[in-house]
């Protein structure tokens, strides 16, 4: 499949509301495959369609590198608890910020066959779902960051 260009903070598409996906077309299947490839290539744990310039309610997530998750038209039904931690974004390269999110979420979404399902998630997966759903509504984590963003250390600096 193809790698897509990840849009970065300041790109107008990142601040727009995405449209509902009404059918699984060949174009949507290709988009989903490209999104997974792009996310893995960029070492991300999640990617929303607006981040590759497409205003569709599609999210891909894989917090472990071994459990790919596709959410089409996701809706967060319930949240509980709270977690505060460092968060980054492929659309805000080289930066992280401290963000408070729910520790538990219940989400309803459609799969690749456009069948509805519900799932619950905790901790990092809950954080990732909330982060990516925000993208679908035109919001970046920097809006929720507590205090200034921090620079991500270069890998070379970490090894020293």
């Amino acid at each position: 499949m193809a790698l897509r260009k990840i849009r970065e903070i300041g790109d107008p598409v990142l601040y727009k509301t995405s449209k509902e996906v009404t059918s699984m077309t060949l174009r949507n299947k290709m988009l989903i495959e490209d999104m997974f490839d792009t996310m893995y290539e960029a070492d991300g744990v999640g990617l929303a369609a607006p981040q590759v310039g497409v205003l569709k309610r599609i999210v891909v997530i894989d917090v472990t590198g071994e459990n790919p998750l596709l959410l089409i038209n996701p809706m967060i039904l319930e949240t509980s608890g709270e977690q505060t931690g460092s968060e980054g974004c492929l659309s805000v390269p080289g930066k992280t910020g401290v963000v408070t999110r729910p520790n538990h979420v219940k989400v309803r979404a459609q799969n690749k066959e456009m069948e509805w399902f519900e799932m619950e998630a905790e901790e990092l997966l809950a954080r990732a779902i909330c982060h990516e759903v925000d993208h679908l509504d035109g919001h970046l984590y920097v809006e929720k960051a507590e205090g200034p963003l921090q620079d991500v250390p270069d890998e070379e600096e970490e090894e020293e």
Side-chain angles (χ1 to χ4, degrees):
M1 290 294 102
L3 296 180
R4 302 220 181 182
K5 180 183 183 300
I6 297 173
R7 305 297 180 94
E8 295 184 3
I9 190 169
D11 188 313
V13 75
L14 294 174
Y15 306 97
K16 295 181 178 174
T17 302
S18 297
K19 304 272 189 271
E20 183 179 348
V21 177
T22 57
S23 65
M24 184 50 62
T25 63
L26 178 58
R27 178 173 279 173
N28 285 337
K29 288 179 184 176
M30 291 172 52
L31 170 63
I32 292 164
E33 289 181 28
D34 291 353
M35 286 174 63
F36 274 115
D37 290 344
T38 302
M39 176 186 72
Y40 288 128
E41 180 67 24
D43 292 325
V45 297
L47 190 68
Q51 292 180 272
V52 293
V54 180
L55 289 172
K56 292 185 178 182
R57 298 190 76 79
I58 299 174
V59 165
V60 297
I61 297 173
D62 192 345
V63 297
T64 64
E66 300 172 0
N67 194 16
L69 174 64
L70 168 66
L71 301 174
I72 299 172
N73 301 318
M75 297 174 283
I76 295 174
L77 303 176
E78 297 174 17
T79 64
S80 63
E82 197 174 85
Q83 59 173 309
T84 300
S86 183
E87 198 165 306
C89 179
L90 296 174
S91 291
V92 188
K95 300 284 185 186
T96 63
V98 174
V99 178
T100 298
R101 301 253 188 209
N103 194 53
H104 176 92
V105 299
K106 182 175 182 180
V107 65
R108 183 171 194 256
Q110 289 172 284
N111 61 21
K112 202 169 188 174
E113 288 75 39
M114 300 301 290
E115 299 165 334
W116 287 100
F117 68 96
E118 289 184 7
M119 64 172 286
E120 296 186 38
E122 294 185 338
E123 299 174 355
L124 181 57
L125 182 54
R127 176 179 293 278
I129 289 169
C130 291
H131 177 110
E132 300 307 331
V133 169
D134 277 354
H135 275 299
L136 301 180
D137 295 323
H139 298 287
L140 298 176
Y141 85 94
V142 298
E143 298 169 33
K144 294 179 174 6
E146 301 165 17
L149 299 184
Q150 302 296 314
D151 291 328
V152 175
D154 291 336
E155 288 181 28
E156 295 163 3
E157 291 176 14
E158 290 176 359
E159 293 172 2
E160 292 176 2

